[in-house]
Amino acid sequence: MIDVVELKMVGPIGLVTINNPPANALSFAVVKGLDETIKRCMADAACQAVVVTGAGRMFVAGADIREFNLPKPDDVPELHDMIMGIEDSQKPVIAAINGLALGGGLELTMGCHYRLIAAAAQVGQPEVKLGFIPGAGGTQRLPRLAGIAVALDLILDGEPISARKALELGIADEIVEGDVVARAIVVAEEKAKTGQIRRTGSQIDKLGGWDAAKFAEARKKAAAMARGVEHYVAAVDCVEVAATMPFAEGLKIERATFVTLRDSDKAKAMRYMFFAEREVAKILDLPREIKGAVIKQAGVVGSGTMGGGIAMCFANAGVPVVLLDVSDEQIAVGMKKVQSTYASQVARGRLTQDAMDKRMALITPSTDFFSLNAADIVIEAVFEDMDLKKEIFKTLDAACKPDAVLASNTSSLDINEIARATRRADKVVGVHFFSPANVMKLVENVRTAKASKETVATVMNLSKALDKIGVLVGVGDGFVGNRMLHVARRIAEFMVEEGALPWQVDKVLVDYGFPMGVFAVNDLAGVDVGVSIRRGQKKLYEGRRHPVLMDKVFAMGRLGQKSKAGWYDYPEGSRAGVPSEAVEKMIFETSKELGLTRRAFSEDEILANYLTALANTGAHVLDEKLAIRGADIDVIWHYGYGFPRYRGGPMFHADLVGLDEVYETAAKLQRTYGDWMKPSPLLKFLADAGKKISEYTCPTSA
Ligand code: T1G
């Protein structure tokens, strides 16, 4: 007996339990086991019907994503053939959906003849999130059970639905409040007696009502849902096939479409991201016994955009938080901003008034540091001034309880220096939120030189509790994300000095899949902010070639969106920039001043240079052990900088290009741009070893 699939006879009923923790995924072993077990039941005269269920809290979370890059062993049947075998079988097979049934899990139940579902269970087809479509009959059987419109909604949305909804839509036949397996056995006995078998593939009554024009409309909507990827439209195509072609033909077309999509680089990138974003939580030198503190009370110092946003994160997670500022006037402004952000969510129907009131009640305004004495963590979010921050940390050290963690939201200052201003350097860390903090998922948790493991565990847990993705990084200029951005932005500016234009660079990046180009981002964040960061970095990078354009845009009084002019012009009422003639003129003049003869840049060259700057700097970050894994960098870039999920991230992209080529490009760019592009030794090492940087883990952690 294969133990990932267990068979137990309950009277005349074969109870088949899938037991493959943690998610009961349909691994090769499970598919083989299910196939053999069901066949055994069919061949056994003593077995009159079969119940299929999952062990533990899940039914089946889908096909095993870990095995997608592996060749299927010859003795394992294809998942869709195994499901077809169930549907074709001559004895009733009943699915007892005890918990989550996703993807191949739901498809397995739809191949069964009847579906009973536990009241708390959910079902869904999440495949679009992985870059492909249901591949084991979902696009053919779901429309037959629930109709075309519902099938399209579920497949394109990817989110699971409740048991009640599944019943309402015809996906489940019965909801069971108590023991779903016990009830399924009773139903199985009844069906065995009456010899009733209802095969999903033979049902056609819900397939009508859609003509070619309606499908064309659905395709248009699907295309608009996901820029840069093909699988949303492909899903509509397959559902159309369900409505217009015989079942067997539909299954074949779905299969072929699925396989092509599954093997594409984009889908590979998306499943890489699935595991990467789970991997970041694993800190290699943090033993399991170190649990970290649970944050029950928090404090935030500084009620500006960042501080207010961070306070909202706590309130959103139900954690009481004291929001502190220097004066009654300041804190009143801060609270007003929080209030109006919530109010606009209520106005847009994203939040109920009641929820807003509860959240506001969790935020206590204060001007007194001693009101922070009950906080388990205090996050400082004042402006970037080392002396001010040190002063605040000294005060916090005196005001807060001895075991409280003191964290800084700085994006550019040396937190080790800040930590030295306290007597609890082991409890000082960085928590670099991204703006707007209440929206952006990413937090770079910065491990200081003296931070204890307990403190690291506390902030990693906190990220999770706040529904953020926390990535552990080390102290260094710009940590991980901004360090890379700042180099790539310089390379972009150099290209503009030499012949490209900001809007040309931005278009290349948007076409690649970024939500905005690098110059548009600078306009959004503030050209003045960019200039001030560069001034702060002057000493660090003395002797390097420095781009001059940002300073000139700033000198023209163009601060970005807030002054309606930056790299772009922003006509009244518009947040989308249009190319600026004044900036273009300034760029041409600057090239002349620099003695550069402007030349044409192809889109490929711009993209390659920009992405090489990111990957090469990311490799340096790993060289310096400021991130734990290559994949952590990709998670940072997706969640903090909008790197398209279907591209996987700068390090994943570098592997696709080939690390030797990335190294060569960096070396070539170094000749023009100097040490910004000094090629990383790690790139060379991995290229020579034939290894991938997206799979690389630093020998010791950050
Ligand atoms: N394959 C392999 N491992 C999986 C898995 C899967 N499908 N689902 C979860 N895991 C692992 C996960 O990596 C983690 O492992 C552990 O389970 C717990 O997950 C043919 C082709 C089910 C909602 O897309 O959405 O079927 O880190 O930490 O928050 O058409 O996991 O502990 O080692 O996320 O409770 C479609 C993906 C597959 C579902 C649970 N299915 N999974 O969330 O825990 S494609 C999916 C999830 C398919 C067919 C197609 C979530 C979850 P580790 P977790 P969670």
Side-chain angles (χ1 to χ4, degrees):
M1 185 71 235
I2 300 147
D3 53 15
V4 288
V5 177
E6 294 158 1
L7 173 63
K8 187 174 133 198
M9 291 307 294
V10 183
I13 307 301
L15 173 60
V16 178
T17 305
I18 301 163
N19 186 8
N20 183 26
N24 289 340
L26 298 168
S27 61
F28 295 139
V30 169
V31 175
K32 183 166 189 256
L34 269 175
D35 190 56
E36 288 175 2
T37 311
I38 304 267
K39 281 185 178 143
R40 198 135 65 90
C41 290
M42 294 305 144
D44 180 358
C47 176
Q48 294 174 9
V50 173
V51 170
V52 179
T53 194
R57 71 186 175 98
M58 287 203 205
F59 177 73
V60 165
D64 192 328
I65 310 170
R66 283 182 204 278
E67 290 179 349
F68 277 16
N69 296 343
L70 304 176
K72 182 181 72 58
D74 287 342
D75 62 341
V76 175
E78 293 283 2
L79 174 60
H80 62 110
D81 288 337
M82 187 274 284
I83 293 175
M84 199 66 230
I86 292 178
E87 182 165 294
D88 284 344
S89 64
Q90 298 304 316
K91 295 175 188 174
V93 182
I94 286 97
I97 308 171
N98 55 303
L100 208 49
L102 295 180
L106 174 57
E107 290 172 303
L108 169 64
T109 75
M110 293 193 291
C112 296
H113 304 127
Y114 301 93
R115 282 157 295 282
L116 272 59
I117 187 165
Q122 292 184 312
V123 301
Q125 298 280 182
E127 287 86 346
V128 284
K129 295 190 202 168
L130 292 169
F132 45 66
I133 61 166
T139 65
Q140 307 303 299
R141 288 194 178 92
L142 194 52
R144 283 174 159 79
L145 291 179
I148 309 274
V150 170
L152 280 176
D153 274 356
L154 290 186
I155 292 170
L156 295 177
D157 180 51
E159 290 300 321
I161 55 167
S162 67
R164 190 145 300 283
K165 192 93 193 161
L167 178 74
E168 217 176 276
L169 298 174
I171 298 166
D173 299 298
E174 185 182 325
I175 289 204
V176 182
E177 295 290 342
D179 183 344
V180 69
V181 173
R183 172 68 191 145
I185 286 172
V186 173
V187 171
E189 283 172 350
E190 284 167 17
K191 299 294 177 194
K193 265 189 211 130
T194 56
Q196 248 180 313
I197 290 188
R198 191 193 54 193
R199 297 189 170 87
T200 308
S202 325
Q203 298 174 42
I204 50 165
D205 49 313
K206 289 198 176 173
L207 291 178
W210 277 63
D211 59 10
K214 238 172 137 179
F215 278 109
E217 191 56 34
R219 251 186 291 279
K220 227 195 247 168
K221 270 198 205 146
M225 284 171 85
R227 195 167 62 91
V229 289
E230 296 75 32
H231 60 287
Y232 281 72
V233 171
V236 180
D237 291 344
C238 285
V239 172
E240 182 170 20
V241 165
T244 52
M245 288 194 193
F247 182 55
E249 197 59 29
L251 286 177
K252 253 195 231 154
I253 292 173
E254 176 200 79
R255 184 74 199 155
T257 311
F258 165 76
V259 169
T260 308
L261 289 167
R262 180 197 63 191
D263 296 342
S264 68
D265 285 342
K266 290 179 184 176
K268 281 182 189 150
M270 288 173 85
R271 56 184 177 265
Y272 160 77
M273 286 304 291
F274 175 86
F275 290 113
E277 65 197 12
R278 280 165 176 75
E279 207 57 22
V280 289
K282 295 173 190 157
I283 310 305
L284 303 174
D285 68 340
L286 219 55
R288 230 173 249 262
E289 312 82 77
I290 298 190
K291 299 266 182 258
V294 175
I295 305 297
K296 297 201 192 88
Q297 298 242 26
V300 175
V301 178
S303 70
T305 310
M306 235 26 225
I310 296 170
M312 288 173 77
C313 295
F314 283 107
N316 295 350
V319 180
V321 56
V322 173
L323 180 59
L324 183 129
D325 216 317
V326 284
S327 67
D328 289 341
E329 295 77 45
Q330 297 272 40
I331 191 65
V333 173
M335 287 300 285
K336 200 151 189 251
K337 178 95 202 304
V338 168
Q339 156 108 25
S340 76
T341 308
Y342 276 137
S344 83
Q345 289 174 10
V346 172
R348 279 178 288 155
R350 299 228 178 117
L351 192 70
T352 63
Q353 185 61 49
D354 185 45
M356 168 174 168
D357 295 344
K358 284 198 178 113
R359 290 178 194 190
M360 283 304 295
L362 286 169
I363 307 178
T364 308
S366 170
T367 54
D368 175 8
F369 272 88
F370 283 89
S371 64
L372 298 170
N373 61 3
D376 304 304
I377 189 168
V378 177
I379 298 176
E380 163 278 313
V382 304
F383 58 86
E384 298 285 62
D385 178 320
M386 181 54 96
D387 292 339
L388 175 66
K389 291 200 188 233
K390 279 192 195 160
E391 196 54 46
I392 287 175
F393 271 74
K394 226 186 227 167
T395 313
L396 286 174
D397 198 20
C400 296
K401 59 183 187 182
D403 57 348
V405 170
L406 306 182
S408 173
N409 178 55
T410 181
S411 59
S412 57
L413 300 178
D414 180 353
I415 307 179
N416 286 330
E417 192 178 336
I418 298 176
R420 285 195 290 272
T422 72
R423 285 160 303 158
R424 57 173 98 184
D426 61 318
K427 295 189 183 64
V428 176
V429 279
V431 284
H432 180 213
F433 284 76
F434 285 64
S435 187
N438 55 312
V439 176
M440 298 290 285
K441 276 283 228 185
L442 179 69
V443 184
E444 284 180 327
N445 289 326
V446 190
R447 187 176 201 163
T448 52
K450 296 250 168 78
S452 69
K453 293 186 176 182
E454 191 72 27
T455 303
V456 171
T458 300
V459 286
M460 291 303 287
N461 291 344
L462 175 65
S463 301
K464 211 169 174 192
L466 299 184
D467 194 27
K468 303 284 179 194
I469 305 254
V471 184
L472 193 63
V473 303
V475 178
D477 172 44
F479 309 124
V480 173
N482 282 344
R483 159 101 170 259
M484 293 163 68
L485 173 71
H486 293 159
V487 173
R489 184 152 72 192
R490 284 180 172 94
I491 301 308
E493 251 179 88
F494 287 144
M495 290 193 279
V496 173
E497 288 176 1
E498 291 166 7
L501 286 169
W503 21 99
Q504 184 196 3
V505 173
D506 279 1
K507 180 181 178 299
V508 169
L509 298 179
V510 170
D511 286 350
Y512 179 72
F514 279 99
M516 292 171 91
V518 65
F519 294 100
V521 168
N522 190 209
D523 273 355
L524 180 67
V527 175
D528 52 335
V529 176
V531 165
S532 123
I533 291 172
R534 288 224 176 130
R535 286 188 185 150
Q537 293 169 329
K538 264 249 144 71
K539 265 220 174 96
L540 205 56
Y541 300 117
E542 247 166 22
R544 290 196 182 178
R545 174 177 164 186
H546 290 286
V548 298
L549 292 169
M550 196 198 284
D551 276 332
K552 295 206 169 197
V553 174
F554 177 66
M556 291 162 85
R558 303 175 67 102
L559 306 185
Q561 280 195 27
K562 60 187 162 193
S563 71
K564 308 231 170 305
W567 295 92
Y568 293 84
D569 289 335
Y570 295 87
E572 201 53 45
S574 164
R575 293 219 311 221
V578 293
S580 156
E581 274 179 35
V583 169
E584 189 165 319
K585 189 162 162 266
M586 178 276 287
I587 289 169
F588 284 128
E589 284 166 8
T590 304
S591 302
K592 222 182 254 164
E593 279 167 26
L594 294 172
L596 297 166
T597 311
R598 292 182 67 79
R599 68 171 178 95
F601 277 79
S602 72
E603 298 197 344
D604 286 349
E605 185 179 4
I606 290 171
L607 186 67
N609 290 357
Y610 190 82
L611 294 178
T612 300
L614 288 182
N616 185 56
T617 313
H620 281 301
V621 161
L622 292 170
D623 277 320
E624 296 163 30
K625 299 194 175 67
L626 297 178
I628 297 176
R629 288 163 281 249
D632 286 19
I633 296 178
D634 285 343
V635 171
I636 287 175
W637 267 79
H638 175 60
Y639 284 102
Y641 302 84
F643 202 101
R645 195 175 176 85
Y646 61 87
R647 303 284 189 191
M651 312 323 274
F652 184 88
H653 179 89
D655 284 327
L656 279 185
V657 172
L659 297 186
D660 41 3
E661 188 174 327
V662 176
Y663 185 87
E664 286 311 319
T665 306
K668 190 187 86 194
L669 293 176
Q670 186 193 21
R671 292 196 277 280
T672 323
Y673 302 139
D675 280 355
W676 298 115
M677 289 306 301
K678 185 175 174 175
S680 144
L682 180 66
L683 276 180
K684 177 98 181 97
F685 169 78
L686 293 174
D688 290 348
K691 293 198 169 143
K692 291 186 172 172
I693 197 158
S694 61
E695 292 173 2
Y696 176 77
T697 302
C698 284
T700 51
S701 62

